[in-house]
């Protein structure tokens, strides 16, 4: 019976056929014709249909399996062609010879029912990983050149396979690359474990290539990848960093992003199918190598063995894996490969099969049948035997026909051999004729050679004479050229002397013109300086006059406003006194509201102080900016060297003057803003007064409060008011020292108002005096704050103008001194 082992994968089916060679005479006589036909068909052909192939270069002779010596044949076909394989097995009569076939892989479970229905065979299933390891160890032990590695994988000229001694294999990492990838850590023949894997394997590569390039087979995909360039598809490290990335030791030609260039329309249009196939192969290989390296480091294993049909006719991936393992591990990991990449699973299950997997007859289990069932089954077998005899007679008749055809063919072969002998004789005659013609042509060649030598000697003599004449002519021409050269040198020296004289004259003329230009520029610079000083003085006078006029107008408006406020205050005071004399307070809630109003007033006062501090800080900031601008102006003035620099310095000074004027305008605008805020405070005061009056009108209807309690609270409020008045008066006196007359008038008015308030308060001891004091306190506080703010703004403006004027004068004097120097 034929010995088969099958590894049915997701993409490719691997079949191993063991052909025994130590067949005895009895076994040869007992061997049926069907078995002989199957052996001849499998061993004499290297291709079966369009998709089946026998890898003859992997054939192993004189191997021992289960006590028999023979030859191992390795056959592969796509798993998708399993139906055709079963049909071929059925047509060859394999189902009549064997009832069980050992198999492994996922297809052993998937196609088990198909085997039973189509060819009435049972599949003896074995563990895939166990079969893989057993088959690999067996072939490596049997074939001394099975294991190898790639030396210099990146250099095509030096790259070659180097045998590796795998006699002491353990431990090692086994990476099986099929449709998917499984990674095993092997510590012994039966001590192993699966530690990782990935779904991106050979099936992924073939599927993507079929999708991207339109190829149909793995061989076509590899052929396309061989002629492609993945750097036109992938984005490398040098595409991102412009070269190597030294801090992490990443070379520039390392893939940083697979298919990273395909986000550009121009790149997509320029890429070819070969480039896409190569990029897909590099992507899958890099992913497998990265996972394998991490697993090896994690398991502390130094040897990594790659197997699987993905590596068949695929040196690109093997070299990439070899380089990656060696580079990223700094030489600690070695990538090993095997000649029989994808057949180890089939060999392993064949080694484990003992031929007694099923006790059956013609695929039917007879161990559990009773006598009646056996008799029925025996009758069925006899009928089958009769049918087989009829088929045997038919095959014998066919054999006789074949013998007859063979006799006829042999006769035709004899005739063809006779014709062949005739052709041989004709060939010999033609050869003799050819030799005679060859001798004739050789004599002609000798004659032509003699003539050629004669002509050559004559030509040499003629050319020697012509060469001597040409040498004489050349010597005469050389003498003439030497004489011409000496005359030209004399002429050149004369011209150089004339040029030197002209250069001296030009230098003298240039120095005179330079002196004249210098004197002219100095006079022009002096005139410009005088004009600049005149303009500066006139501008200063005009600005001073304008400032005085504006100051006078502001003083007049201020006095008018103060007079108006005093008049309004007197009128309001008169009206309020008439109302307050009629009011008696008996509501404590009014006092609470007055306290809230007092707090609001204090907050407004704090807000006003904060605004004053902000204005002061802003003035200081602008003074610093002005100081920086002056320093820049001084630096520019020091660099003044000629007319153009003077002109540029004047333009810069004008721009700075314009900037200072803009700052002055901004300060004026801020002053106006503050005035608007003051008016807003006045409106708030008026609103507060109106609310207060309305409250008083409501309180006129409510009387009967205790005056003694109000007198005590009045004393407290009066003391608080005096303290606050003293603080505000001190602050106003500090800020307005320059305007002593105004301050004195304010104090006198404040004292008169205080006396008036006291006169109003002391006799009556009534609530209107309290309201009057509070309202007077509000008026005096706001007025003093506003006056102090205006005076501080005016003082800052005057100080700014004086500083700017003095700075301009100092810059002009420095420029004049530098120009004179």
């Amino acid at each position: 019976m034929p010995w088969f082992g099958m590894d049915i994968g997701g993409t490719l089916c691997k079949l191993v056929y063991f052909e025994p060679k130590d067949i005895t005479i009895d076994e040869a006589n007992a061997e049926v014709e069907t078995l002989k036909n199957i052996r001849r068909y499998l061993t004499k052909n290297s291709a079966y249909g369009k998709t089946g192939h026998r890898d003859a270069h992997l054939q192993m002779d004189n191997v021992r399996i289960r006590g028999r010596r023979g030859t191992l044949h390795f056959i592969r076909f796509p798993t998708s062609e399993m139906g055709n394989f079963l049909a071929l097995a059925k047509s060859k009569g394999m189902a009549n010879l064997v009832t069980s076939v050992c198999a492994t892989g996922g297809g052993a479970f998937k196609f088990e029912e198909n085997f039973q229905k189509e060819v009435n065979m049972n599949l003896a299933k074995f563990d895939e990983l166990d079969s893989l390891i057993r088959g690999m160890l067996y072939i490596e032990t049997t074939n001394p050149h099975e294991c190898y590695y790639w030396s210099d994988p990146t250099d095509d000229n030096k790259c070659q396979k180097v045998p590796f001694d795998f006699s002491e294999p353990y431990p090692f990492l086994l990476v099986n690359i099929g449709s998917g990838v499984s990674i095993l850590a092997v510590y012994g023949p039966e001590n192993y474990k699966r530690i990782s894997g990935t779904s991106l394997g050979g099936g992924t590569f073939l599927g993507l290539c079929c999708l991207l390039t339109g190829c149909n087979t793995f061989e076509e995909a590899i052929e396309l990848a061989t002629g492609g360039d993945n750097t036109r598809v992938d984005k490398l490290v040098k595409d991102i960093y412009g070269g190597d990335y030294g801090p992490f030791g990443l070379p520039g030609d390392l893939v940083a992003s697979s298919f990273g260039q395909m986000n550009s329309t121009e790149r997509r249009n320029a890429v070819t199918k070969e480039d896409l196939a190569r990029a897909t192969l590099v992507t899958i290989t890099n992913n497998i190598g990265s996972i394998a390296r991490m697993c090896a480091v994690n398991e502390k294993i130094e040897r990594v063995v790659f197997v699987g049909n993905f590596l068949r006719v695929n040196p690109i991936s093997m070299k990439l894996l070899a380089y990656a393992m060696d580079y990223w591990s700094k030489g600690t990991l070695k990538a090993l490969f095997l000649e029989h990449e994808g057949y180890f699973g089939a060999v392993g299950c064949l080694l484990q099969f003992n031929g007694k997997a099923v006790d059956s007859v013609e695929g039917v289990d007879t161990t559990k049948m009773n006598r009646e069932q056996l008799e029925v089954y025996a009758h069925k077998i006899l009928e089958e035997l009769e049918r087989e005899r009829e088929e045997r007679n038919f095959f014998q008749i066919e054999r006789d026909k074949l013998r007859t055809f063979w006799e006829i063919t042999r006769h035709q072969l004899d005739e063809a051999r006779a014709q062949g002998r005739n052709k041989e004789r004709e060939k010999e005659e033609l050869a003799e004729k050819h030799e005679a013609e060859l001798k004739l042509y050789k004599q002609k060649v000798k004659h032509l050679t003699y003539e050629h030598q004669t002509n050559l000697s004559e030509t040499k003599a003629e050319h020697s004479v012509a060469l001597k004449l040409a040498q004489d002519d050349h010597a005469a021409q050389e003498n003439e050229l030497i004489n011409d050269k000496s005359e030209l040198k004399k002429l050149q020296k004369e011209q150089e002397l004339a040029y030197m004289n002209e250069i001296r004259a030009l230098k003298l003329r240039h120095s005179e013109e330079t002196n004249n230009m210098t004197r002219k520029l100095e006079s022009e610079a002096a005139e410009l300086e005088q004009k600049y000083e005149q303009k500066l003085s006139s501008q200063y006078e005009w600005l001073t006059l304008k400032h005085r006029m504006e100051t006078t107008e502001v003083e007049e408006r201020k006095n008018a406003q103060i007079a108006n406020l005093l008049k309004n205050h007197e009128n309001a005071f008169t009206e309020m006194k008439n109302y307050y004399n009629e009011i008696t307070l008996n509501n404590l809630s009014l006092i609470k509201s007055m306290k809230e109003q007092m707090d609001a007033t204090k907050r407004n006062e704090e807000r006003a102080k904060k605004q004053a501090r902000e204005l002061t800080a802003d003035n200081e900031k602008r003074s610093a900016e002005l100081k920086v601008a002056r320093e820049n102006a001084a630096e520019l003035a020091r660099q003044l060297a000629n007319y153009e620099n003077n002109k540029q310095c004047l333009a810069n000074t004008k721009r700075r003057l314009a900037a200072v004027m803009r700052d002055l305008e901004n300060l004026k605008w801020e002053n106006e803003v503050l005035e608007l805020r003051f008016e807003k405070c006045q409106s708030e005061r008026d609103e507060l007064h109106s609310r207060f009056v309305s409250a008083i009108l409501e309180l006129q209807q409510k009387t009967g409060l205790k005056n003694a309690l109000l007198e005590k609270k009045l004393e407290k409020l009066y003391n608080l008011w005096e303290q606050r008045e003293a603080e505000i008066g001190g602050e106003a006196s500090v800020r307005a020292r320059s305007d002593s007359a105004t301050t004195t008038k304010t104090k006198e008015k404040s004292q008169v108002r205080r006396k008036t308030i006291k006169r109003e308060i002391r006799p009556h001891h009534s609530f209107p005096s309290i309201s009057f004091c509070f309202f007077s306190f509000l008026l005096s506080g706001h007025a003093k704050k506003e006056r102090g703010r205006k005076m501080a703004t005016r003082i800052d403006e005057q100080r700014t103008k004086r500083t700017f004027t003095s700075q301009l004068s100092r810059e002009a004097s420095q420029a004049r001194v530098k120009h004179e120097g």
Side-chain angles (χ1 to χ4, degrees):
M1 57 171 283
W3 295 8
F4 295 105
M6 296 185 71
D7 182 4
I8 309 174
T11 305
L12 198 66
C13 180
K14 286 75 67 177
L15 176 67
V16 174
Y17 167 57
F18 177 68
E19 178 190 8
K21 294 295 186 179
D22 53 352
I23 301 176
T24 62
I25 298 176
D26 295 335
E27 289 178 342
N29 294 331
E31 192 176 63
V32 297
E33 190 68 24
T34 303
L35 183 58
K36 295 179 181 179
N37 293 333
I38 292 173
R39 180 185 295 123
R40 283 195 297 270
Y41 180 75
L42 293 177
T43 58
K44 301 301 181 182
N45 295 318
S46 59
Y48 313 99
K50 295 181 179 180
T51 56
H53 299 277
R54 179 169 65 89
D55 293 324
H57 65 284
L58 299 179
Q59 176 178 314
M60 296 179 64
D61 299 323
N62 196 26
V63 297
R64 180 178 292 274
I65 296 180
R66 296 206 297 269
R68 300 294 299 272
R69 285 200 172 272
T71 302
L72 270 179
H73 301 276
F74 300 92
I75 302 169
R76 55 182 166 83
F77 60 90
T79 306
S80 58
E81 299 292 330
M82 183 60 71
N84 295 332
F85 170 75
L86 294 176
L88 178 65
K90 187 175 182 180
S91 65
K92 295 297 181 181
M94 190 179 297
N96 299 326
L97 298 177
V98 62
T99 58
S100 297
V101 176
C102 53
T104 187
F109 298 90
K110 180 179 179 180
F111 296 104
E112 182 178 14
E113 186 177 353
N114 299 68
F115 272 83
Q116 290 179 350
K117 288 183 178 180
E118 297 293 333
V119 292
N120 196 22
M121 287 185 184
N122 294 320
L123 294 180
K125 298 181 288 294
F126 297 93
D127 181 72
E128 181 177 3
L129 302 180
D130 192 38
S131 300
L132 174 67
I133 295 174
R134 288 176 182 271
M136 191 200 78
L137 295 176
Y138 171 78
I139 292 183
E140 198 282 326
T141 304
T142 306
N143 183 14
H145 302 291
E146 180 68 22
C147 186
Y148 65 93
Y149 67 91
W150 290 92
S151 66
D152 298 320
T154 57
D155 190 346
D156 294 336
N157 297 325
K158 297 181 180 179
C159 181
Q160 61 180 351
K161 291 182 179 181
V162 179
F164 183 80
D165 184 9
F166 205 63
S167 58
E168 296 181 0
Y170 308 109
F172 65 91
L173 202 71
L174 183 60
V175 183
N176 185 24
I177 311 175
S179 299
V181 181
S182 291
I183 301 177
L184 309 177
V186 184
Y187 302 98
E190 297 182 358
N191 181 14
Y192 63 90
K193 62 178 179 179
R194 186 181 188 275
I195 57 176
S196 185
T198 176
S199 61
L200 304 180
T204 308
F205 165 68
L206 181 57
L208 288 176
C209 283
C210 293
L211 184 65
L212 295 173
T213 65
C215 63
N216 295 316
T217 63
F218 181 78
E219 288 77 7
E220 291 179 9
I222 293 296
E223 185 177 358
L224 288 174
T226 303
D229 183 6
N230 66 296
T231 59
R232 301 176 64 186
V233 180
D234 298 336
K235 184 169 288 186
L236 308 181
V237 171
K238 63 184 178 182
D239 296 331
I240 300 175
Y241 293 99
D244 297 344
Y245 189 39
F248 291 101
L250 300 178
D253 56 354
L254 182 69
V255 177
S257 174
S258 297
F259 287 82
Q261 303 276 22
M262 292 297 97
N263 54 1
S264 170
T265 305
E266 182 179 355
R267 295 274 189 176
R268 288 198 298 271
N269 295 333
V271 79
T272 63
K273 293 182 178 180
E274 290 79 4
D275 299 335
L276 291 173
R278 184 60 171 261
T280 305
L281 181 62
V282 171
T283 300
I284 299 298
T285 305
N286 286 343
N287 179 68
I288 296 171
S290 177
I291 296 174
R293 174 182 167 273
M294 288 189 291
C295 292
V297 172
N298 188 46
E299 295 294 326
K300 296 181 177 58
I301 296 176
E302 297 181 354
R303 285 180 287 188
V304 184
V305 181
F306 292 92
V307 298
N309 265 291
F310 176 72
L311 302 175
R312 180 176 56 83
V313 297
N314 189 5
I316 299 173
S317 293
M318 288 191 283
K319 293 177 182 178
L320 284 174
L321 290 172
Y323 170 73
M325 287 293 158
D326 181 72
Y327 180 82
W328 292 113
S329 67
K330 295 182 175 57
T332 59
L333 295 179
K334 183 172 287 295
L336 303 177
F337 304 93
L338 302 174
E339 294 288 350
H340 298 79
E341 301 97 347
Y343 290 101
F344 299 120
V347 174
C349 69
L350 178 62
L351 293 173
Q352 296 180 81
F353 184 59
N354 56 13
K356 298 179 181 180
V358 180
D359 188 7
S360 61
V361 177
E362 294 294 324
V364 180
D365 190 4
T366 59
T367 57
K368 297 181 180 180
M369 291 185 179
N370 55 25
R371 182 175 179 179
E372 294 178 354
Q373 291 175 345
L374 288 172
E375 289 178 352
V376 172
Y377 191 65
H379 182 67
K380 183 179 178 181
I381 290 175
L382 290 174
E383 292 178 353
E384 186 70 23
L385 180 60
E386 288 297 327
R387 187 177 62 80
E388 292 291 342
R389 285 176 178 171
E390 291 177 359
E391 289 182 356
R392 184 195 63 181
N393 295 333
F394 173 74
F395 286 130
Q396 286 179 350
I397 294 172
E398 291 295 324
R399 184 188 62 184
D400 294 338
K401 289 181 180 179
L402 289 174
R403 285 182 177 176
T404 304
F405 291 150
W406 180 75
E407 292 292 341
I408 295 171
T409 305
R410 187 177 64 179
H411 180 67
Q412 292 176 352
L413 179 61
D414 293 337
E415 292 179 354
R417 286 176 178 172
Q419 293 178 357
R421 287 193 293 270
N422 295 332
K423 293 293 183 182
E424 288 291 336
R425 283 195 295 272
E426 291 177 358
K427 182 179 177 182
E428 291 176 358
E429 293 175 355
L430 291 173
E432 292 175 356
K433 184 177 180 181
H434 175 68
E435 288 179 358
E437 292 177 352
L438 187 61
K439 289 179 181 179
L440 179 61
Y441 284 120
K442 284 181 179 179
Q443 291 176 358
K444 290 182 178 180
V445 168
K446 288 180 180 178
H447 179 69
L448 291 174
T449 303
Y450 176 74
E451 291 181 352
H452 174 68
Q453 290 178 351
T454 304
N455 295 332
L456 184 62
S457 60
E458 293 176 355
T459 305
K460 282 182 179 180
E462 293 176 357
H463 285 187
S464 61
V465 174
L467 180 61
K468 187 174 181 180
L469 295 175
Q471 287 177 350
D472 296 337
D473 294 339
H474 176 71
Q477 292 176 1
E478 186 176 2
N479 293 329
E480 292 177 359
L481 290 173
I482 290 171
N483 296 330
D484 295 340
K485 183 178 179 181
S486 60
E487 293 177 357
L488 289 173
K489 284 183 177 180
K490 293 178 181 178
L491 180 62
Q492 183 181 4
K493 288 182 179 179
E494 294 175 356
Q495 291 178 353
E496 287 179 353
L497 293 173
Y499 290 154
M500 292 297 292
N501 295 328
E502 291 180 2
I503 289 171
R504 291 194 191 96
L506 288 173
K507 283 184 177 180
L508 292 173
R509 195 182 312 141
H510 176 68
S511 62
E512 292 176 358
E513 292 177 355
T514 304
N515 295 330
N516 294 331
M517 291 293 292
T518 303
R519 288 192 294 273
K520 183 179 179 181
L521 289 174
E522 288 177 353
S523 61
E524 290 177 356
E527 292 176 359
L528 285 173
E529 186 176 356
Q530 292 177 359
K531 291 180 181 179
Y532 169 72
E533 290 178 353
Q534 292 175 0
K535 288 182 180 179
L536 182 62
S537 60
S538 62
Q539 185 72 13
Y540 173 71
E541 292 174 358
W542 179 78
L543 288 174
T544 304
L545 179 61
K546 183 179 178 182
H547 173 66
R548 289 176 180 174
M549 293 174 66
E550 291 177 351
T551 305
T552 304
E553 291 177 0
V554 171
E555 292 281 345
E556 292 175 356
R557 287 199 301 270
K558 180 190 72 174
N559 295 331
Q561 183 68 18
I562 291 172
N564 190 17
L565 287 173
L566 291 173
K567 184 179 180 180
N568 292 336
H569 173 67
E570 294 296 333
N571 295 333
F573 174 73
T574 303
E575 294 175 358
M576 289 172 63
K577 184 168 68 174
N578 294 331
Y579 283 118
Y580 296 157
N581 291 331
E582 300 174 0
I583 297 173
T584 56
L585 290 177
N586 56 357
N587 195 351
L588 295 176
S589 61
L590 180 59
I591 297 173
K592 184 178 180 180
S593 64
M594 289 177 65
K595 288 182 179 180
E596 292 177 355
Q597 292 173 2
M598 182 72 75
D599 295 335
T601 304
K602 288 180 179 180
R603 287 194 296 272
N604 292 333
E605 184 178 356
E606 292 295 332
R607 191 181 302 109
K609 285 183 178 181
K610 184 178 180 181
Q611 292 175 354
R613 288 194 297 269
E614 290 176 354
L615 288 173
T616 303
D618 187 58
N619 288 334
E620 292 176 355
K621 181 180 178 181
R622 294 191 180 279
S623 298
E625 292 177 354
L626 185 60
K627 184 177 179 181
V628 173
R630 289 168 184 166
E631 292 175 356
N632 293 334
E635 181 66 21
L636 292 173
R638 283 193 297 272
Q639 295 177 359
L640 186 61
N642 50 31
Y643 171 73
E644 292 295 330
N645 290 337
N646 288 331
K647 184 177 180 181
Q648 185 66 28
C649 181
L650 181 59
N652 292 335
T653 306
K654 288 181 179 180
R655 285 197 293 272
R656 287 197 301 275
L657 179 61
V660 173
M661 293 300 295
R662 286 196 297 272
D663 292 340
L664 183 60
E665 292 296 330
N666 292 334
L667 290 172
K668 289 181 180 178
W669 178 79
E670 290 177 358
N671 187 20
E672 293 177 359
V673 171
L674 291 174
E675 289 179 356
L676 292 174
R677 290 180 180 174
F678 174 70
E679 292 176 1
K680 185 177 180 182
C681 290
Q682 285 182 339
S683 64
E684 290 177 356
R685 183 201 63 187
D686 296 335
E687 183 181 356
L688 180 62
H689 177 264
S690 62
R691 285 188 294 167
F692 189 79
V693 170
S694 62
I696 294 300
L697 292 175
E698 290 178 359
L699 289 174
Q700 285 178 355
Q701 302 174 4
K702 300 177 182 180
T703 58
L705 278 179
K706 296 178 181 180
N707 290 332
L709 180 62
L710 292 176
E711 183 65 22
K712 292 180 181 179
K713 294 184 178 180
L714 176 62
E715 287 292 332
K716 292 181 181 179
L717 289 173
Y718 180 72
N719 293 332
L720 179 63
W721 174 78
E722 284 184 343
Q723 182 181 359
R724 191 61 182 168
E725 185 72 10
E727 292 177 359
I728 295 175
E731 183 180 355
S733 62
V734 171
R735 292 189 179 180
R737 290 175 182 173
S738 62
D739 194 3
S740 59
T742 306
T743 305
T744 304
K745 290 179 181 179
T746 304
K747 287 183 178 180
E748 291 175 357
K749 292 178 181 179
S750 177
Q751 289 176 0
V752 171
R753 194 179 300 112
R754 191 182 298 113
K755 290 178 181 180
T756 306
I757 292 169
K758 288 182 179 179
R759 285 197 301 271
E760 294 295 332
I761 290 173
R762 297 298 181 186
H764 297 285
H765 297 285
S766 60
F767 185 76
S769 298
I770 299 172
S771 301
F772 172 74
C773 292
F774 176 68
F775 189 71
S776 299
F777 165 71
L778 292 178
L779 289 176
S780 62
H782 283 294
K784 288 179 180 180
K785 285 176 62 179
E786 189 62 33
R787 285 197 298 274
R789 187 184 299 109
K790 289 184 176 180
M791 285 188 289
T793 303
R794 187 164 60 255
I795 290 168
D796 290 337
E797 290 178 356
Q798 292 175 358
R799 187 185 297 111
T800 303
K801 291 178 180 178
R802 287 196 297 273
T803 305
F804 177 71
T805 305
S806 62
Q807 181 66 22
L808 290 178
S809 301
R810 188 162 55 254
E811 289 175 0
S813 62
Q814 289 177 357
R816 184 168 59 255
V817 169
K818 186 174 181 180
H819 182 68
E820 290 174 357

